[in-house]
Amino acid sequence: MAITITMPQLGETVTEGTILAWVKQIGERVAEDEILVEISTDKVDTEVPSPSGGVLSEILIGAGETVAVGTAIAVLTETGEVPTDSEEESGPVAGIDSDSDPSSVVRRPSSLSEDTSQRGVMSPVVRKLAGEHSVDVAMVRGSGQGGRVTRKDVEAFIASRGSAAPAASATPAPPAAPTPSGAPAASADPAAVVRPAGESVSGDVAEVSRIRARIAQNMTHAKKTAAHVWTSVEVDFERVERVRLRHRESFKASEGFSLTYLPFIVRATMDALGAFPVVNSALDLEAGTHTFPRAVHLGVAVDLDQHGLVVATIRDADAMTLKAVSRSVRSVGSKARSGELGPDDLAGSTFTITNPGPYGSHMSVPIINVPNAAILSTDTIKKRPVVVEMDDGSDSIAIHHIGYLGLSWDHRVFDGSTAVMFLNRIKDNLETWDWEQEVS
């Protein structure tokens, strides 16, 4: 009896996946829970185990192809022979119940002749790519199952079309005119040579990584979707800094890592989101809905050692203490860099914070992590001279730790007055709260 393996649901918000590589090949025996295939989604790359044991008889979706969740991608049998049509129709489908649409199951051609039954079947990603580059898919040779046009097919067609440069003219160039007497000779310095318009400069060409491609797609979508506006405030972190210094050694001894500014900012921000819930909301104009979550699921941007960026989600961050926030931020950062985050760890955020400050940024204007309504940027905190009002009403100059908080927000969701009041709430919290009590 044959068992059809389908594209799994790798996270509650994931709708499609791309086959990266088949770990097992046709004819190989697969044990239950043994890694069968590597799959990439818009959230994460992951290894997928086989839901059952058997012999891999058919691979229905090749490497590089993108299909919807629930689509058949492979067939397992007990003996390894290719299943008959009757077996395919009656056999259980792993990951799809009996009420599933049978049209979503892709069949392997029954003959050895070229099959074009899947010629017009393309994933949304392929259709979008073809549309963006004005590609007539009828001109593209499909290398996928049943003549299916894959993303690699479209990319290869675009590359070949772009490289078809006109042939050089066979007409000999006229002889160079003699240099007038007294005129300086042309410089032999290559740097002084002006390149003709359109001539390319040689250099190393690398393939775009999957994570960079996903970042590019998500950022472009965000800029096209949200009406981006940026607002910032200056914050005096001196009160926070003094508490950090007092508890620096004891905190590191008990927790195993340093106490940074970020947990303080998160705690102050959670209070501000409670006061201004619209900043924690999500607008869907197409559906005509405006959702106000009952909790704050905080997205934290994590740099993957300059190889990309992911937003990991800390759920119910508004209910956490400062120490709990510190542990959660540390945990998601470590898991992200070690590749241990699952799809659901990268989904469901309601508000996002990005922290370029440790890298030395002054003021940053981040792109909103849609469908979030806003994203907060925390920049470098440095010692600066400031005017301090004394108890007697006089002014004095002092050296304090000063930093900037920047908010990129969606003008479709709320207005400038809300953005400024929200930031000032965070500022006031950081400058006036009893942080000693928070850390103790």
Side-chain angles (χ1 to χ4, degrees):
M1 184 173 65
I3 297 177
T4 302
I5 309 298
T6 65
M7 177 63 71
Q9 178 82 44
L10 297 174
E12 58 186 29
T13 63
V14 176
T15 60
E16 63 182 17
T18 300
I19 303 295
L20 295 180
W22 285 97
V23 177
K24 295 292 184 177
Q25 301 302 318
I26 293 178
E28 290 189 63
R29 178 163 293 280
V30 183
E32 184 175 356
D33 293 329
E34 187 177 6
I35 300 302
L36 177 66
V37 62
E38 296 177 359
I39 292 176
S40 173
T41 72
D42 62 344
K43 301 295 183 184
V44 70
D45 297 344
T46 187
E47 296 177 331
V48 177
S50 176
S52 179
V55 175
L56 182 58
S57 298
E58 294 186 83
I59 293 178
L60 304 178
I61 304 297
E65 295 190 63
T66 302
V67 295
V69 168
T71 300
I73 61 175
V75 176
L76 295 180
T77 60
E78 294 181 357
T79 60
E81 69 271 10
V82 177
T84 63
D85 290 341
S86 60
E87 286 177 325
E88 286 184 342
E89 292 172 0
S90 62
V93 179
I96 300 181
D97 58 31
S98 59
D99 295 327
S100 298
D101 181 4
S103 64
S104 64
V105 179
V106 182
R107 307 294 185 191
R108 174 177 283 270
S110 57
S111 68
L112 296 177
S113 60
E114 183 177 359
D115 177 74
T116 58
S117 60
Q118 298 295 316
R119 171 70 187 171
V121 180
M122 289 178 290
S123 73
V125 173
V126 175
R127 292 186 185 278
K128 180 180 178 182
L129 180 63
E132 289 176 346
H133 293 272
S134 301
V135 173
D136 181 1
V137 294
M139 304 295 293
V140 181
R141 180 178 178 84
S143 63
Q145 181 68 36
R148 183 187 180 102
V149 176
T150 69
R151 180 171 59 184
K152 287 188 175 181
D153 296 332
V154 176
E155 290 173 344
F157 181 85
I158 295 170
S160 64
R161 182 177 62 182
S163 62
S169 172
T171 304
T179 303
S181 178
S187 172
D189 182 2
V193 177
V194 178
R195 296 183 180 275
E199 182 177 338
S200 63
V201 180
S202 61
D204 296 332
V205 177
E207 183 178 355
V208 177
S209 66
R210 291 187 298 275
I211 188 170
R212 181 53 56 191
R214 287 200 296 267
I215 291 172
Q217 293 167 358
N218 293 339
M219 295 299 97
T220 302
H221 171 69
K223 289 292 286 185
K224 290 180 178 179
T225 301
H228 280 69
V229 186
W230 183 75
T231 307
S232 68
V233 294
E234 183 180 85
V235 179
D236 188 335
F237 283 89
E238 192 63 22
R239 182 183 290 261
V240 171
E241 176 62 16
R242 291 173 182 173
V243 172
R244 284 183 65 245
L245 288 177
R246 280 196 294 270
H247 293 269
R248 180 170 55 189
E249 299 301 329
S250 60
F251 184 91
K252 189 167 186 177
S254 62
E255 300 294 333
F257 56 89
S258 300
L259 178 60
T260 67
Y261 290 102
L262 186 57
F264 294 87
I265 296 172
V266 170
R267 284 288 297 120
T269 302
M270 294 303 102
D271 171 80
L273 289 172
F276 298 94
V278 70
V279 184
N280 191 52
S281 66
L283 185 71
D284 189 337
L285 285 180
E286 292 185 2
T289 59
H290 193 176
T291 303
F292 291 80
R294 293 189 178 93
V296 178
H297 300 319
L298 178 65
V300 178
V302 181
D303 175 71
L304 304 179
D305 298 324
Q306 302 179 54
H307 293 295
L309 188 77
V310 296
V311 176
T313 303
I314 299 175
R315 303 192 182 278
D316 300 311
D318 54 326
M320 292 183 177
T321 63
L322 187 141
K323 286 187 176 181
V325 168
S326 301
R327 295 167 188 147
S328 297
V329 169
R330 175 79 173 186
S331 175
V332 296
S334 299
K335 290 173 67 178
R337 294 185 184 93
S338 61
E340 297 176 2
L341 291 176
D344 290 337
D345 294 322
L346 301 169
S349 67
T350 59
F351 181 83
T352 304
I353 291 181
T354 181
N355 183 33
Y359 299 98
S361 63
H362 178 61
M363 290 184 179
S364 302
V365 185
I367 296 176
I368 301 168
N369 181 32
V370 294
N372 294 179
I375 179 172
L376 183 71
S377 175
T378 63
D379 292 288
T380 299
I381 299 169
K382 290 185 176 181
K383 293 180 181 180
R384 293 190 176 94
V386 296
V387 177
V388 178
E389 184 176 347
M390 308 301 290
D391 293 339
D392 60 3
S394 62
D395 292 334
S396 177
I397 301 296
I399 303 298
H400 281 194
H401 288 77
I402 304 297
Y404 297 93
L405 297 179
L407 184 75
S408 290
W409 49 280
D410 189 346
H411 211 325
R412 301 176 308 156
V413 184
F414 55 88
D415 303 314
S417 57
T418 301
V420 174
M421 288 189 291
F422 171 74
L423 280 175
N424 279 325
R425 178 72 173 238
I426 300 174
K427 169 186 170 72
D428 291 341
N429 291 345
L430 289 167
E431 294 179 348
T432 64
W433 271 10
D434 181 4
W435 291 110
E436 187 72 35
Q437 180 179 342
E438 286 270 339
V439 178
S440 301

